[in-house]
Amino acid sequence: MNNGKVTLGWDLCYTCNYRCPYCGVWERKAEEDLLLSAQAWMKVWYKLYKIYGSIHIYLSGGEPSTYPYFFELVRGLSKEHTLEVCTNLSWDIDRLIPEISAGILKVAPTFHPRFANFEDFFAKAVKIKEYLPNFQVYYVAYPGQIIDMPERSKRFKERGINLIPLPLRGDGFVLNSEEEKRIVEEVSPYRGNKIAYQLQRISPKGKLCMAGQLYAVVRVDGTVDRCSQYRNASLKNILDEDFTLSAKPLPCEKDYCP
């Protein structure tokens, strides 16, 4: 959530230039991507702007920079909305940074060691940090790459950057062993309920949640789910003329909240 501001996660595309074993998104057929033009998408988001005001759009994928209209889209949407781009940083960051104000654009990079050189990624992250305050990077706690997390976290901290470990999950549950969870907890800057939910030590089931009211996830085909744990299109489709978010919080039906 963003201080009462509506936040919408947006899976812009399934395409990706990496083939990470812990992500099956890239295996989906590219023709499933809804290749509307940047102008067409901006009309959709302008319609929402007139309803909800400026929205915080968390742009993800796949790798959103592989979308044909990525740069045009980010520039256009930044006129009315704030954006946060979840990315592997494989693109030329100078094409957007510092062109767009740090108050409008955020970057949420994830390091994938099988496909990215750490020193190259680190250099880009340090460069972004000079532009963006409170900048942090993400790292999936996948077996085989967890061992390097503490040292890499230390490198980032020396430059004022938090490394956020992401527990490995599948089928709606955390898949990490207890030892792996211990390393995640040791490295993570999160404490209290935040890390307890991420590591599946407490459950959100039955609790009222504003997912669906102040937050939702827009899929590639425009269908909208309450959050990443749902895939039932309960909020219909963002392309529908009568699309609206829920009017009130609803009980969570899931055992795990990432």
Side-chain angles (χ1 to χ4, degrees):
M1 307 307 169
N2 196 14
N3 298 322
K5 184 176 184 175
V6 170
T7 296
L8 292 178
W10 183 14
D11 296 341
L12 178 61
C13 60
Y14 292 140
T15 54
C16 186
N17 53 339
Y18 289 179
R19 296 291 183 266
C20 300
Y22 39 81
C23 175
V25 171
W26 53 268
E27 295 179 303
R28 298 178 186 178
K29 294 179 180 179
E31 57 263 31
E32 293 181 33
D33 288 3
L34 189 62
L35 288 174
L36 296 183
S37 67
Q39 291 82 2
W41 270 125
M42 283 188 279
K43 286 181 181 178
V44 174
W45 287 99
Y46 183 67
K47 177 189 71 175
L48 295 178
Y49 172 73
K50 290 189 289 184
I51 300 172
Y52 298 109
S54 180
I55 294 170
H56 185 67
I57 303 170
Y58 187 85
L59 199 60
S60 185
E63 168 53 39
S65 68
T66 64
Y67 195 75
Y69 317 111
F70 171 70
F71 294 100
E72 184 182 357
L73 195 60
V74 170
R75 292 186 183 100
L77 291 175
S78 67
K79 295 175 182 177
E80 277 109 26
H81 304 286
T82 58
L83 294 104
E84 189 166 357
V85 181
C86 178
T87 173
N88 59 30
L89 285 190
S90 58
W91 47 282
D92 181 4
I93 60 174
D94 290 326
R95 292 186 65 178
L96 290 177
I97 299 171
E99 176 186 332
I100 301 175
S101 165
I104 300 296
L105 176 67
K106 293 183 179 180
V107 180
T110 304
F111 176 59
H112 303 283
R114 291 195 179 193
F115 297 92
N117 176 273
F118 178 75
E119 296 303 331
D120 292 342
F121 183 92
F122 182 78
K124 280 189 175 183
V126 169
K127 187 174 183 178
I128 295 173
K129 170 63 179 176
E130 295 174 358
Y131 167 73
L132 294 174
N134 304 318
F135 176 67
Q136 54 196 24
V137 301
Y138 300 85
Y139 190 130
V140 178
Y142 185 71
Q145 61 191 42
I146 296 175
I147 190 171
D148 295 318
M149 270 188 177
E151 179 59 30
R152 285 171 173 163
S153 175
K154 180 181 177 183
R155 288 280 306 277
F156 280 119
K157 278 185 179 179
E158 289 170 353
R159 304 306 292 264
I161 300 170
N162 277 329
L163 185 147
I164 311 295
L166 300 174
L168 181 66
R169 60 189 176 110
D171 297 324
F173 297 95
V174 174
L175 303 179
N176 291 113
S177 67
E178 286 304 314
E179 174 59 18
E180 290 167 347
K181 288 180 181 179
R182 184 193 65 76
I183 296 173
V184 167
E185 190 165 21
E186 178 183 288
V187 171
S188 177
Y190 298 149
R191 294 294 180 266
N193 282 351
K194 177 81 170 180
I195 190 69
Y197 275 121
Q198 282 193 326
L199 294 176
Q200 206 172 354
R201 290 183 174 139
I202 56 177
S203 170
K205 193 168 187 177
K207 297 179 181 179
L208 283 179
C209 180
M210 287 185 286
Q213 180 191 21
L214 288 181
Y215 173 80
V217 175
V218 182
R219 306 297 184 181
V220 166
D221 63 359
T223 56
V224 185
D225 294 307
R226 286 184 64 187
C227 75
S228 64
Q229 291 291 82
Y230 287 79
R231 279 197 174 272
N232 57 6
S234 61
L235 296 175
K236 299 184 179 179
N237 196 298
I238 198 173
L239 302 178
D240 295 340
E241 284 299 321
D242 60 348
F243 170 76
T244 58
L245 294 166
S246 174
K248 60 183 181 180
L250 297 170
C252 179
E253 302 167 347
K254 302 296 181 179
D255 292 306
Y256 172 53
C257 180

